[in-house]
Amino acid sequence: MIKLNNRIKLNKSKIRVGRGIGSGKGKTSGRGVKGQKSRSGVAIKSFEGGQMPLYRRLPKRGFNPINKTNVAILNLDKIQSYIDKKNLNSSDVINANLLKKLKLINKNALKLKILGFGEIKAKVNIEADLASKSAIEKLEKLGGSIQLKK
């Protein structure tokens, strides 16, 4: 830095490479001698000398969340069809454990959600983690009940 009148020079000129031996950046222009990086048109961003690059060694994750909760979804028409097939008894309390035992929902499901698609004729009592407004409305219209776990 050159000081003029006790102030630092702000507009410092950039180094012009390849302008003769005395400039300090002449001949090879600060690129060293030979080799791939001394040539023009070289881009070795994640090259690791032939070793398997880091981005290929690590597993793919994408947009899949690591800790997602498996929610089993059950529509009212499906519950009705199970009752019609005599898989479920309408007098029983329908909950996730019962449905898992009868293999009607996946055993890995952590929560149970009741959705209001279709019609239900039987009066049933359901224990679930989540439920849609339409499902609650349809069940209560018939005189059934739904308990939501907190």
Side-chain angles (χ1 to χ4, degrees):
M1 299 252 191
I2 302 165
K3 278 192 167 187
L4 296 170
N5 302 337
N6 292 332
R7 67 184 187 92
I8 298 164
K9 188 175 179 189
L10 297 173
N11 49 349
K12 193 177 172 193
S13 53
K14 67 179 179 108
I15 295 168
R16 299 173 71 213
V17 294
R19 293 298 189 281
I21 218 164
S23 68
K25 284 276 188 275
K27 194 184 170 203
T28 53
S29 305
R31 283 174 174 263
V33 188
K34 291 187 183 173
Q36 191 177 8
K37 285 164 119 180
S38 72
R39 320 282 189 215
S40 66
V42 174
I44 340 170
K45 284 184 181 67
S46 59
F47 184 69
E48 296 183 24
Q51 174 177 299
M52 188 60 67
L54 184 71
Y55 68 89
R56 287 182 63 196
R57 288 198 300 267
L58 298 175
K60 289 197 284 187
R61 253 191 1 95
F63 288 91
N64 299 325
I66 295 173
N67 53 355
K68 77 172 179 192
T69 52
N70 286 341
V71 179
I73 292 171
L74 206 58
N75 274 303
L76 291 178
D77 65 340
K78 205 76 174 162
I79 295 170
Q80 185 60 51
S81 72
Y82 289 144
I83 291 167
D84 294 342
K85 286 182 200 165
K86 305 244 185 317
N87 288 351
L88 283 176
N89 192 352
S90 58
S91 61
D92 290 344
V93 175
I94 297 167
N95 58 19
N97 291 341
L98 175 73
L99 294 167
K100 281 178 190 176
K101 208 174 281 176
L102 297 170
K103 294 186 178 172
L104 301 178
I105 61 170
N106 193 322
K107 66 180 179 196
N108 298 326
L110 300 173
K111 290 184 176 184
L112 173 65
K113 183 169 186 171
I114 306 296
L115 299 179
F117 180 80
E119 289 301 315
I120 187 159
K121 298 173 200 86
K123 180 183 164 185
V124 288
N125 296 328
I126 299 173
E127 263 182 38
D129 298 283
L130 308 155
S132 67
K133 286 177 186 172
S134 60
I136 295 167
E137 211 173 89
K138 285 179 183 178
L139 283 166
E140 286 174 350
K141 196 183 281 182
L142 284 166
S145 70
I146 184 159
Q147 278 89 33
L148 296 179
K149 295 178 197 165
K150 288 289 177 197

